[in-house]
Amino acid sequence: QAQFVESGGGLVQPGGSLRLSCQASGFRTYEYSIGWFRQVPGKEREAVSCITGGGETYYKNAVKGRFTISRDDAKNTMYLQMNNLKPEETALYLCQTVGTAGNDGGLKSCWADSDFWGQGTQVTVSS
């Protein structure tokens, strides 16, 4: 069973940057598509960015150009570099294996394919 340990969150001012890490176990990161999600109390969890085993990426429109997803298969770890953070991006960030959909133009969507979540890492963007 896939398990995840997220880290790297914290308090950052608007416009600041953070790099999140997701240490995976129970599978090899290159074998599956994996992604980052964020959740705010009272709101639905949303997919932020995903990456396939082959390296294709998906980004939520609101984060394109500011966030970068990457993966270090030797460390079985996924990362999310977040730049120019906004207060509305305050949330608990989690990682998960995902399903994906796309076409020749690239990935168009991704979604969590498991209900077993880690603890997540809290990101707070505030002055």
Side-chain angles (χ1 to χ4, degrees), residues 30-116:
Y30 60 81
E31 295 177 319
Y32 289 90
S33 298
I34 48 180
W36 286 98
F37 295 77
R38 60 190 180 194
Q39 185 162 28
V40 176
K43 292 188 177 181
E44 193 170 321
R45 187 183 297 125
E46 63 176 4
V48 176
S49 181
C50 300
I51 185 168
T52 68
E56 285 187 281
T57 57
Y58 161 84
Y59 294 97
K60 177 181 173 64
N61 282 341
V63 308
K64 285 181 179 178
R66 299 186 296 117
F67 289 15
T68 303
I69 192 170
S70 61
R71 197 181 70 226
D72 185 336
D73 294 330
K75 296 181 179 180
N76 224 40
T77 300
M78 177 177 63
Y79 303 97
L80 186 67
Q81 177 67 45
M82 306 187 295
N83 298 328
N84 193 18
L85 281 160
K86 304 176 181 181
E88 57 265 35
E89 293 176 318
T90 293
L92 183 68
Y93 284 71
L94 309 105
C95 51
Q96 185 59 269
T97 53
V98 300
T100 61
N103 53 32
D104 290 343
L107 293 185
K108 302 303 181 186
S109 65
C110 62
W111 57 88
D113 66 1
S114 171
D115 290 330
F116 293 97

